[in-house]
Amino acid sequence: MEDQEILEQVNKLFTKILKKPNVVLTYETTAADVDGWDSLTHMMLIDSVEKHFAIKLKLMEVMKLNNVGDLVAIVKLKTTK
Amino acid sequence: MNITIRKATIEDKEFITTAIIEAEKSGSDIISYCKIFSISEAEFREILSNILDEDFEGQELCISGYLIAEVDGERAATMGGWLEKESGMTSSMIKSNLLMHFMDRNKLLDAAPNLKLMNEIDFHRDENSLQIEISYTVDKFRGLGLYGKLVNERVRLKLESGKTFEKIQGIVLKNNNSPVNALTKLGFVKAKEKTCTNNDILNLLPTNTKILYEKYINN
């Protein structure tokens, strides 16, 4: 799966959880950039990403996620293994 | 009477666990984590133990973030602390990641309505401000000014390590008179107060009001 395709799918998941249809994620987007991306929705987002892509993120992997690009990269890595 | 203050080690895990649980109870029988996630105290202790073993800095469930005050060689008090967003991630995000890893996922997601309620009285912690959280003094050592000594040592150690920060922040439950009085005595001022008007919060916390105290260190 290409980065852009993963980003689009992650964007759809975020839109659904945050209940904000106009959320547009980029690789550089961080939690601070998105209204409503707090500690609670963060848990829901990670859970949703794991279920959607059928992957499991390790603790250190989620701790190193600084932006959406990092999330896309780890999803790509895990889904191409 | 000889009072010393040192950094916590893994040997202090049990004392810190007690501190976290007592701070959570805040003079009541309510452990908010147990209420929020519908888990027993034993389950919470196991989760807490696993999280403390990770020792992930930047939030209050981390042994390295604690200082221990000893009186004549006996553990007497402790206090947690960290510089907010020092690693780039907020303390609440770090804690979320830890809870996600160590808790039953369904229980975590089922707790969303409770967490949403808790968010109503959450405060934004300023980036690069020194956070002090979870303080506990053994009953027989109360009145020795250990709280103040722990705060002052926390500031001294952070500055000594080359970190620069201007502000200290501490969040307390309004009903918790002991830290409220201690912070006031140390020159902290009430910056914000939040009250949750939904009485369901009283099923999760001993009070519906939290206060954010602040102090600028060059004051």
Side-chain angles (χ1 to χ4, degrees), chain B residues 11-121:
Chain B
E11 303 298 319
D12 301 304
K13 185 177 167 185
E14 199 51 49
F15 189 66
I16 290 169
T17 299
T18 301
I20 292 168
I21 288 173
E22 289 305 315
E24 278 290 311
K25 285 182 177 173
S26 187
S28 73
D29 290 328
I30 296 176
I31 300 175
S32 61
Y33 282 97
C34 296
K35 296 288 183 183
I36 292 166
F37 299 112
S38 302
I39 54 175
S40 66
E41 182 170 337
E43 285 174 300
F44 173 60
R45 280 181 180 273
E46 189 184 341
I47 293 162
L48 182 57
S49 174
N50 290 332
I51 291 177
L52 289 174
D53 284 342
E54 284 295 326
D55 205 30
F56 214 100
E57 291 185 52
Q59 45 83 38
E60 72 267 31
L61 308 179
C62 167
I63 289 174
S64 306
Y66 281 79
L67 293 176
I68 304 285
E70 290 184 337
V71 175
D72 295 332
E74 190 177 345
R75 290 184 188 94
T78 187
M79 180 183 284
W82 69 92
L83 274 186
E84 180 65 11
K85 224 178 165 187
E86 190 176 14
S87 67
M89 192 174 278
T90 64
S91 51
S92 58
M93 287 291 188
I94 296 173
K95 217 161 72 170
S96 289
N97 287 336
L98 288 164
L99 290 172
M100 276 195 80
H101 188 73
F102 289 109
M103 273 195 67
D104 177 275
R105 187 63 63 90
N106 290 331
K107 283 194 174 178
L108 199 63
L109 296 173
D110 287 348
N114 288 341
L115 290 168
K116 212 170 176 179
L117 207 54
M118 294 289 287
N119 278 353
E120 285 189 30
I121 52 172

Side-chain angles (χ1 to χ4, degrees), chain B residues 114-200:
Chain B
N114 288 341
L115 290 168
K116 212 170 176 179
L117 207 54
M118 294 289 287
N119 278 353
E120 285 189 30
I121 52 172
D122 249 8
F123 292 103
H124 168 80
R125 298 175 193 268
D126 291 340
E127 186 171 345
N128 202 45
S129 60
L130 180 64
Q131 302 294 316
I132 51 170
E133 189 126 334
I134 309 285
S135 61
Y136 168 69
T137 303
V138 176
D139 280 348
K140 67 175 177 177
F141 295 117
R142 288 183 185 275
L144 299 177
L146 298 177
Y147 189 99
K149 287 181 170 61
L150 284 164
V151 172
N152 291 337
E153 182 65 0
R154 163 76 57 207
V155 172
R156 192 190 69 78
L157 286 171
K158 275 292 173 199
L159 292 174
E160 191 182 74
S161 70
K163 308 288 182 191
T164 53
F165 57 94
E166 295 179 343
K167 192 195 284 183
I168 317 170
Q169 294 184 314
I171 298 169
V172 296
L173 292 174
K174 193 175 185 178
N175 71 323
N176 203 353
N177 292 328
S178 188
V180 166
N181 293 338
L183 287 169
T184 307
K185 201 173 164 185
L186 289 168
F188 281 72
V189 294
K190 188 197 284 187
K192 283 176 192 165
E193 180 173 316
K194 281 188 181 178
T195 299
C196 178
T197 52
N198 184 336
N199 281 339
D200 288 347

Side-chain angles (χ1 to χ4, degrees), chain A:
Chain A
M1 210 182 313
E2 294 304 313
D3 288 4
Q4 190 57 34
E5 192 183 345
I6 296 170
L7 179 65
E8 285 167 12
Q9 291 188 27
V10 167
N11 206 136
K12 280 183 188 168
L13 297 172
F14 275 45
T15 301
K16 191 177 170 188
I17 286 167
L18 297 172
K19 295 177 182 137
K20 291 180 193 294
N22 55 350
V23 169
V24 180
L25 301 177
T26 68
Y27 298 114
E28 291 76 32
T29 303
T30 68
D33 301 322
V34 182
D35 186 32
W37 187 350
D38 58 20
S39 54
L40 168 59
T41 49
H42 177 73
M43 289 193 280
M44 296 165 83
L45 292 166
I46 296 293
D47 181 69
S48 159
V49 165
E50 285 185 337
K51 284 175 180 159
H52 180 79
F53 293 101
I55 58 171
K56 183 78 184 162
L57 299 176
K58 292 178 183 166
L59 178 60
M60 285 313 293
E61 289 169 340
V62 286
M63 288 296 191
K64 287 178 182 169
L65 298 177
N66 290 317
N67 54 32
V68 171
D70 290 341
L71 181 60
V72 168
I74 193 73
V75 168
K76 186 176 184 180
L77 184 73
K78 295 219 167 225
T79 52
T80 52
K81 270 184 180 173

